[in-house]
Amino acid sequence: MPESLRHPLSRQIAARLALALLVTILTTVALTLWFYTQANQRSFEHHLRQAEKHFNGTLALRESEWERGAYNFKARLEFSRVLEDLAGRQGRLGNFITAQGGVPEYPLVLVLDREGNRLAWFAYAGDHIPPAVFDSGDAGWAYDATDNRLYRVFRQQIWLGTGENGVLLTFRRIDHALLGTLTYPETELVALWQNRPVASSLGEDGMKAAEADLALVAGPQLSLLPWNQARPDNPRVLLRIGPDEPFALRELFQPMALGALAFAAAAWIVFGVWATALV
């Protein structure tokens, strides 16, 4: 081949090889980013579905335990006959609960007559008793706006003596510790009342972060669930899975980069050396 044509042809071969290598690198980067996004998104979605399933199942068991606990409390209260003393109901109810020792299982207890008038009540640590809103059954909710506290309330008929029945309301607080027992590994739960955080499995820090999460509730790591029924007067739970991604980007780029280099080396050996010898 004439010398005048050798150098331009060599430059064309080098340029074509460089272009092929550039296309390979760009394709590798695009495929890596696509695979990284898809893999992480599907992993988040799977983790989120598992966390939702765990929460719903665990909550159903916990609600059943609470109902049995409320019934047992009522049975002990009736057996003690402290409500049959008309004049001493208030004091005897408080003595009965404090005698159990430790922090009461029900920090708020209210006894009403059939017309809804108060007969006796107990409020641990001076907490006042907020009004309760009930579902279709005898389990409801009470929200204390003053202290930002949410309670699960159970309503039952109770024997008051002398042929009289009343209504017993037992209040169980939804707090940080409770949510911690309902969480799936590497997840966070935040209880919301009318979109206001009232408790978090991560404590006060989790409640502060929840305010920002509410604006991103459609994200792949977030889910907003009803507590037990999709009703406006029921609380909801914000479920957030951990920020850790199952795949690190560098873990995917390393084999992709090695593949691109291997392709470039093979292209040069197979095509570049041959073309150089040809010209």
Side-chain angles (χ1 to χ4, degrees):
M1 178 177 294
E3 186 68 22
S4 60
L5 298 178
R6 183 183 302 271
H7 294 297
L9 185 58
S10 299
R11 286 195 293 269
Q12 289 183 21
I13 292 174
R16 290 175 184 271
L17 286 175
L19 179 61
L21 180 59
L22 178 61
V23 171
T24 301
I25 293 175
L26 293 178
T27 303
T28 300
V29 171
L31 289 175
T32 301
L33 292 175
W34 177 84
F35 180 80
Y36 170 78
T37 302
Q38 293 295 315
N40 281 339
Q41 182 176 351
R42 293 192 178 188
S43 177
F44 284 141
E45 290 174 354
H46 175 74
H47 193 170
L48 201 59
R49 299 293 85 79
Q50 291 296 110
E52 291 174 354
K53 182 179 179 181
H54 173 84
F55 170 75
N56 290 327
T58 304
L59 181 61
L61 293 175
R62 193 58 54 85
E63 287 270 354
S64 297
E65 293 174 0
W66 292 345
E67 290 181 5
R68 290 195 299 269
Y71 175 82
N72 292 336
F73 178 82
K74 184 200 78 164
R76 294 196 305 270
L77 192 57
E78 288 177 329
F79 183 78
S80 69
R81 307 181 70 177
V82 300
L83 299 178
E84 297 183 19
D85 181 3
L86 300 183
R89 281 173 176 165
Q90 180 68 26
R92 296 189 66 184
L93 176 62
N95 292 336
F96 171 81
I97 296 175
T98 54
Q100 312 293 319
V103 178
E105 182 179 8
Y106 304 103
L108 304 176
V109 176
L110 182 59
V111 180
L112 308 172
D113 62 17
R114 293 180 180 179
E115 286 72 36
N117 300 312
R118 288 191 180 190
L119 300 178
W121 61 91
F122 172 82
Y124 179 71
D127 295 344
H128 66 281
I129 302 179
V133 177
F134 288 91
D135 302 333
S136 56
D138 290 322
W141 298 96
Y143 175 66
D144 182 355
T146 303
D147 297 321
N148 193 33
R149 293 179 178 177
L150 181 65
Y151 299 90
R152 190 62 161 144
V153 186
F154 294 94
R155 178 176 58 189
Q156 304 173 86
Q157 285 194 355
I158 190 168
W159 174 254
L160 300 177
T162 65
E164 181 184 3
N165 283 331
V167 177
L168 173 68
L169 302 183
T170 49
F171 294 65
R172 179 183 290 272
R173 186 180 173 192
I174 307 299
D175 57 13
H176 304 322
L178 170 64
L179 292 183
T181 65
L182 300 176
T183 56
Y184 188 72
E186 299 180 2
T187 62
E188 174 195 356
L189 293 176
V190 180
L192 307 171
W193 182 260
Q194 298 178 352
N195 285 337
R196 176 183 297 179
V198 295
S200 168
S201 58
L202 297 182
E204 294 296 330
D205 292 339
M207 291 178 61
K208 294 177 181 177
E211 296 179 358
D213 288 341
L214 285 173
L216 303 172
V217 75
Q221 296 175 250
L222 300 171
S223 179
L224 194 57
L225 306 173
W227 183 274
N228 59 349
Q229 297 179 26
R231 288 185 48 174
D233 54 353
N234 273 350
R236 296 186 294 174
V237 174
L238 179 67
L239 189 155
R240 184 180 189 277
I241 63 177
D244 294 337
E245 297 176 335
F247 297 101
L249 196 56
R250 64 177 180 277
E251 295 175 352
L252 297 177
F253 263 126
Q254 289 174 355
M256 291 291 188
L258 291 176
L261 290 176
F263 173 80
W268 175 255
I269 293 173
V270 173
F271 180 73
V273 174
W274 169 80
T276 302
L278 183 65
V279 298

